[in-house]
Amino acid sequence: MTANVLFAGRADGWPTYEPLLKAELARRGVEADLRTGFAPEDVDYIVYAPSGPVSDFTPFTRLKAVLSMWAGVEKIVPVVPASVPLTRMVDSGLEQGMTEWVAGHTLRYHLGMDLHIRGLNGRWHRHVPPLAKDRHVTVLGLGALGTAAAKALAALGFQVTGWSRTQKEIEGITCHAGPEGLKAALRQAEIVILLLPDTPATENTLNAETLALLPKGAKVINPGRGPLIDDAALLAALDSGQVGHATLDVFRVEPLPPEHPYWAHPNVTVTPHIASETRESTAAEVIAENIRRAEAGEPLLHLVDRSLGY
């Protein structure tokens, strides 16, 4: 039986995804009709992004699964019926891109590179950084992306602490969990990296109270989600010197409004949500594999737990 697969991502992504998805489905022996348009009642699978054309799932009465093209699903969970399995995007390209971005900015802070990039103004000022083994780095969030980043940083020699909602065991990483574990993870975090999902439980994870736990002058890196940080509290911590610098890739409102104080703050680096993007070639592999699994009655990869929101 042929599976009808609706591509409901951005229109400009279709020319790239079409041949990749067809090739990956064929490689797995899945008979599929892949299009950008079907009668809703004929659709078996939706390859979905919130930026695409589908906003109402009610007419899709025979859906077997919705396959998100995004890693974050906070905007997707509320609109996909609870009776329909929903998967999120976890792929090797996304992990690799995030790991590279996180490692780059961690090393930038560790080595004090901003001082030299901005210029010494004729002063021969020698500041020798410690070795990575003497630098404490904390990763908040130990999902696929957080775990990959934490392992990469540990491989570079950093003392890496991780924190998650539930206890994890990861070789080479000191893992904490729960409210008390968060405090322990932050108290030694010279560099703290946020890779948590956006849920009611994670909003304002970094706030006035938790920022005060950091060693004075700690650096903050947020490629996760904008709402993880209380913006007013971070700005106050930057002004007081409690936080030495913040590199922020995600924000509550995007694009970040021109009048937002982050733009002009001397101790903030703004990057325009570029830490990692879904790579079409590796994403197509994950999507095709989940369609194969669904057709074969096997468990789906990266199934969203709606009670947790990710």
Side-chain angles (χ1 to χ4, degrees), residues 111-121 123 125-127:
L111 297 172
M113 295 173 69
D114 285 6
L115 176 65
H116 305 122
I117 292 169
R118 292 171 180 169
L120 295 173
N121 297 319
R123 293 185 305 113
H125 176 70
R126 296 185 74 249
H127 171 72

Side-chain angles (χ1 to χ4, degrees), residues 21-65:
L21 283 169
K22 285 183 175 179
E24 291 296 335
L25 288 163
R27 191 162 70 85
R28 289 164 173 78
V30 177
E31 292 187 21
D33 186 356
L34 175 67
R35 306 186 208 169
T36 56
F38 284 99
E41 63 272 16
D42 294 334
V43 174
D44 296 304
Y45 302 95
I46 297 180
V47 179
Y48 178 73
S51 53
V54 174
S55 57
D56 180 9
F57 287 83
T58 306
F60 297 92
T61 54
R62 80 178 208 193
L63 269 184
K64 297 178 182 179

